[in-house]
Amino acid sequence: MLNVFWLLLKRDLLLALRRRSEIFTVLFFFLVVISLFPLGVGTEDKTLKQIAPGVVWIAALLASTLALDRLFSSDFSDGTLEQLALAPQSLSIMVLAKMVAHWLLTGLPLVLISPLVGLFYHLPNDSMVVMMLVLLIGTPILSMIGAIGAALTLGLRGGGVLVSLLVLPFYLPVMVYGSGAIASSMLEGLSLQPYFLLLGAFALLAIVFSPWATAAALKISLE
Amino acid sequence: MTLEVKNLQCIRGDRELFTDLSFQLEAKQLLMLEGKNGSGKTTLLRALCGLYEPDVGEILWHGKSIKKQDELYRRELFYLGHLNAIKPDLTVFENLRFNTQLAGGLETDDALMQALDAIGLFAFEDFPASQLSQGQKRRVALARLLLTKATLWVLDEPFVALDAAAVVLLQSIIADHVDKGGMVILTTHQEVSLIKGEVKRLSLTALTENRESLNA
């Protein structure tokens, strides 16, 4: 069971390596959205600190939907998805591998580049650490929820736009608690524990249910 | 070893493709599925693989419904549809290795190379699949036939895009598998000559026409 997980993870990473532009599109999109806000809203220190938590999460949400429609569509159109469904292994495990690959390619780069955002927005050091942590817990959830949406819209015309409309509402809780944690970290004497616990709970829930739901949706799309 | 299809009915949209379809396939038998375009050949093959849920009827493998066997059945099944499952960004060798490992095969790299040589892709191992012709891509997909340990082969138009030499080669691979006690179901317009083993024929068009004349 683990073999097939590594097999698929390795293949997806190799494919992405051969087509690097797709990784950088997401990263640059994130950076562009982030840098648009100071230009539009103004560069006053107080304003920037106030909008930073929301801006980071909105940019992360949009950036992660950007690569979603590619998650299964190429495997679907070249017939690999049929072979995955017919392999004598659990489709959920393979789906989980694809989700992990998607996160490594689109979520992890955002986490790693987020200190730069902190500098843009004059965030204190503590808040930068909190921002990286909540992004680290939150972006995998985005990949996992997004995969369900991508599987449901597979093979539909205009699926790319549809998948954003479908999954963005489900991203809301992650955004609310993720940005809440960053905002609270800038105030004195507030505990951040509830935010981390809630985000952790969402992540666990997503790990348990999303591979199974995605696999079921893929089987419907293949019919 | 039997594959048994009982009273199968498939409906696509509001069009009835076939009704009350029953047949049985034993070891050392080859089933040629015939029928005009749109008669439901591909749908039937996909239903046999479990990719498509038939509206009525049952498919039994060793007397047990394939839905209840799931991974066990898929271990004994090899399916090749219209699509080759070839990634243009991977090399020929990487494609074959991924696809065999996915199906649970533990072949060594040497065995994979030999399969590629045998299927006529000698010296193409490190080519990106995007540079191959349509027929060569089909050959990469068919190289898996030489490595698979599956008993039941379900092939949808396997001869499409192949040149004359490859057609002969594939015919011999299929005949060999049947001779060794395997089962093959395929749709094609080519004849497959077997040394031993039995060729069955099933025409979906005839089924539909019979029913239409009965209704009239």
Side-chain angles (χ1 to χ4, degrees):
Chain A
M1 215 159 84
L2 266 177
N3 283 344
V4 79
F5 179 86
W6 290 118
L7 181 68
L8 226 71
L9 184 62
K10 268 195 308 201
R11 188 210 61 162
D12 270 20
L13 294 180
L14 183 66
L15 282 173
L17 211 71
R18 301 243 162 112
R19 202 164 275 211
R20 256 161 274 177
S21 63
E22 295 187 358
I23 315 170
F24 288 115
T25 330
V26 174
L27 196 58
F28 282 124
F29 180 83
F30 180 73
L31 282 178
V32 166
V33 173
I34 292 285
S35 44
L36 281 179
F37 276 87
L39 296 175
V41 181
T43 52
E44 202 189 327
D45 191 63
K46 205 179 139 212
T47 328
L48 285 183
K49 272 186 185 146
Q50 208 171 14
I51 60 168
V55 169
V56 169
W57 272 99
I58 292 174
L61 252 55
L62 295 177
S64 89
T65 56
L66 206 62
L68 271 184
D69 62 318
R70 286 197 300 266
L71 187 55
F72 297 113
S73 64
S74 76
D75 279 343
F76 179 67
S77 57
D78 68 19
T80 308
L81 200 59
E82 284 174 352
Q83 297 297 337
L84 296 185
L86 289 176
Q89 309 278 354
S90 153
L91 186 57
S92 305
I93 297 290
M94 297 184 230
V95 164
L96 187 65
K98 286 191 76 74
M99 287 171 178
V100 172
H102 181 259
W103 178 72
L104 287 175
L105 296 167
T106 64
L108 191 60
L110 303 191
V111 177
L112 295 179
I113 205 141
S114 61
L116 197 65
V117 181
L119 291 179
F120 274 6
Y121 286 79
H122 309 297
L123 288 187
N125 283 345
D126 291 350
S127 300
M128 271 201 238
V129 175
V130 172
M131 181 168 67
M132 282 185 85
L133 280 175
V134 286
L135 281 175
L136 192 65
I137 308 174
T139 44
I141 311 179
L142 303 185
S143 292
M144 288 188 276
I145 298 177
I148 305 178
L152 282 172
T153 54
L154 197 59
L156 298 182
R157 221 173 306 160
V161 187
L162 203 59
V163 72
S164 309
L165 290 176
L166 196 68
V167 300
L168 278 175
F170 293 97
Y171 283 174
L172 277 181
V174 184
M175 186 190 79
V176 169
Y177 292 108
S179 57
I182 305 173
S184 308
S185 73
M186 282 185 270
L187 302 170
E188 288 291 321
L190 280 181
S191 166
L192 297 177
Q193 201 189 18
Y195 294 105
F196 282 108
L197 287 179
L198 273 167
L199 281 175
F202 289 144
L204 289 178
L205 203 68
I207 286 182
V208 173
F209 286 108
S210 68
W212 167 77
T214 309
L218 286 178
K219 279 181 188 155
I220 295 170
S221 298
L222 277 174
E223 278 222 340
Chain B
M1 224 166 8
T2 45
L3 176 77
E4 210 179 338
V5 170
K6 279 185 180 167
N7 310 321
L8 210 64
Q9 181 185 41
C10 282
I11 298 169
R12 270 256 139 129
D14 49 5
R15 211 163 62 89
E16 197 177 89
L17 289 173
F18 45 82
T19 315
D20 226 10
L21 178 75
S22 304
F23 65 86
Q24 213 175 353
L25 198 69
E26 312 266 343
K28 295 203 170 204
Q29 285 185 334
L30 180 144
L31 181 72
M32 295 255 257
L33 204 56
E34 291 158 353
K36 56 187 182 195
N37 298 137
S39 58
K41 297 188 293 283
T42 296
T43 307
L44 176 58
L45 292 188
R46 293 177 72 87
L48 290 176
C49 297
L51 284 174
Y52 183 81
E53 185 84 21
D55 296 273
V56 184
E58 266 190 311
I59 300 161
L60 308 174
W61 175 249
H62 299 325
K64 217 172 136 193
S65 167
I66 58 166
K67 270 189 279 181
K68 288 184 186 138
Q69 308 195 35
D70 220 29
E71 286 177 26
L72 270 174
Y73 175 63
R74 294 204 299 255
R75 211 172 283 280
E76 302 197 55
L77 175 79
F78 179 96
Y79 170 75
L80 185 65
H82 290 276
L83 300 166
N84 292 325
I86 302 292
K87 286 272 164 215
D89 287 335
L90 296 182
T91 66
V92 168
F93 182 76
E94 286 166 338
N95 266 302
L96 181 64
R97 189 175 54 189
F98 172 75
N99 278 326
T100 43
Q101 287 181 344
L102 181 66
L106 298 167
E107 277 75 16
T108 58
D109 286 2
D110 282 344
L112 297 179
M113 289 296 223
Q114 275 169 18
L116 285 175
D117 292 351
I119 207 81
L121 288 169
F122 180 75
F124 278 100
E125 290 90 358
D126 293 328
F127 262 60
S130 53
Q131 289 177 19
L132 297 185
S133 76
Q134 209 55 39
Q136 284 174 318
K137 282 182 193 155
R138 197 70 177 161
R139 283 177 188 235
V140 179
L142 290 167
R144 290 172 53 207
L145 285 176
L146 295 167
L147 299 164
T148 179
K149 292 188 177 61
T151 322
L152 176 64
W153 292 3
V154 178
L155 310 172
D156 200 352
E157 301 277 4
F159 297 102
V160 162
L162 293 180
D163 59 24
V167 167
V168 174
L169 181 64
L170 179 57
Q171 281 178 336
S172 74
I173 293 173
I174 292 173
D176 204 40
H177 178 64
V178 175
D179 283 348
K180 281 186 189 150
M183 299 170 169
V184 179
I185 302 176
L186 54 86
T187 61
T188 181
H189 306 290
Q190 305 265 348
E191 284 297 320
V192 178
S193 46
L194 298 176
I195 309 152
K196 285 170 266 171
E198 185 186 341
V199 179
K200 278 187 157 187
R201 275 163 207 283
L202 181 72
S203 169
L204 290 178
T205 318
L207 268 172
T208 324
E209 274 164 6
N210 273 342
R211 200 173 58 247
E212 271 160 12
S213 61
L214 280 175
N215 288 344

